[in-house]
Amino acid sequence: MRQHLVEAEAHCNAQDRNIIALQRDVKALQKENRQARLDRDSQKQNRQKREEHILLGEAAYKFSALVEEYVFQGKDPTTLQTPSLKQIHKRRLKGTLTPEQADRWDKLVKYAPAGLSEENLVQSDAILRSQRFASAHGSWEQLQRTQIQDLRQWADAYIDSRALQPVRQYLEFLNKFSSKNKPLCPDKKIALS
């Protein structure tokens, strides 16, 4: 009988060691699972931030295309790419725009929201362009679903506070050209009044 008790105790001790080993394995797997989840969440957040930067920068390119269309009454014949507002502004200062183009640029600047000076308009364009990854564009779906509130929120998150107010005014100015509150999908039929 004593022998049976010793064997039973040994068997119970072995089971206890197995249970402890299993608990240790479960904890290790749970830790690996938590880390994998954290890694996935981090990758998702990084991807989301990248998309937000792209779409925020896309605002500058959309606005520049609208300005180019308005100032040059079509495509700027001197460039292959849409010119930045800084490039157009420099041409205005140098007197290399035609009188009609210069008048349209001046009208655009006057149409800007109160407090958004010509200098701030040009600087905001440059700031937003720097948010964009050079070889990336937002997808059609992203452009369609991005609303002015999204751009404001991303500007608040990513733009230096010293430049934030003019950038927000710039975004509001771009939004004036959207009939559906989707500034990355401007309605080219909306004209300056």
Side-chain angles (χ1 to χ4, degrees):
M1 172 106 155
R2 184 160 174 79
Q3 180 63 23
H4 289 300
L5 286 174
V6 170
E7 288 174 10
E9 184 179 1
H11 182 68
C12 286
N13 288 338
Q15 291 294 357
D16 286 346
R17 284 190 298 276
N18 287 340
I19 289 171
I20 290 171
L22 283 173
Q23 288 173 336
R24 194 172 40 242
D25 291 345
V26 166
K27 284 182 182 180
L29 287 173
Q30 287 173 335
K31 183 178 179 181
E32 286 177 26
N33 189 21
R34 270 193 307 273
Q35 187 59 47
R37 198 173 328 117
L38 288 173
D39 291 345
R40 275 193 311 274
D41 290 348
S42 176
Q43 289 172 352
K44 185 177 178 181
Q45 286 175 345
N46 288 339
R47 190 172 39 254
Q48 180 70 27
K49 275 184 171 182
R50 185 173 190 275
E51 287 175 6
E52 290 169 357
H53 277 273
I54 289 168
L55 294 170
L56 197 52
E58 191 86 41
Y61 286 84
K62 292 294 182 184
F63 194 64
S64 291
L66 286 170
V67 171
E68 176 187 41
E69 176 75 28
Y70 177 69
V71 170
F72 298 100
Q73 298 294 286
K75 185 86 176 99
D76 178 2
T78 65
T79 63
L80 296 174
Q81 294 182 336
T82 301
S84 69
L85 297 189
K86 183 177 183 178
Q87 291 168 319
I88 298 171
H89 175 68
K90 279 184 177 181
R91 287 174 61 190
R92 171 68 176 105
L93 294 177
K94 289 180 181 179
T96 57
L97 293 177
T98 67
E100 295 82 16
Q101 291 168 343
D103 288 343
R104 286 190 291 272
W105 171 259
D106 293 342
K107 185 177 178 184
L108 175 87
V109 170
K110 287 178 187 164
Y111 187 67
L116 184 61
S117 67
E118 186 171 4
E119 181 181 305
N120 285 341
L121 181 66
V122 171
Q123 286 178 347
S124 296
D125 185 68
I127 289 167
L128 288 173
R129 282 173 176 266
S130 73
Q131 294 297 307
R132 189 171 174 272
F133 293 86
S135 62
H137 293 278
S139 69
W140 185 84
E141 292 84 10
Q142 290 171 320
L143 300 181
Q144 287 292 318
R145 74 172 177 253
T146 300
Q147 297 192 348
I148 188 64
Q149 303 90 293
D150 299 320
L151 292 175
R152 282 188 210 120
Q153 179 183 352
W154 301 334
D156 291 348
Y158 303 120
I159 303 297
D160 185 293
S161 62
R162 294 170 293 182
L164 186 58
Q165 186 59 31
V167 167
R168 288 193 82 178
Q169 290 174 317
Y170 177 100
L171 294 171
E172 295 298 331
F173 193 20
L174 171 60
N175 197 49
K176 284 184 174 185
F177 297 95
S178 171
S179 60
K180 298 176 183 163
N181 202 30
K182 295 180 181 181
L184 299 184
C185 299
D187 183 351
K188 292 186 179 186
K189 295 176 185 173
I190 298 177
L192 299 178
S193 56

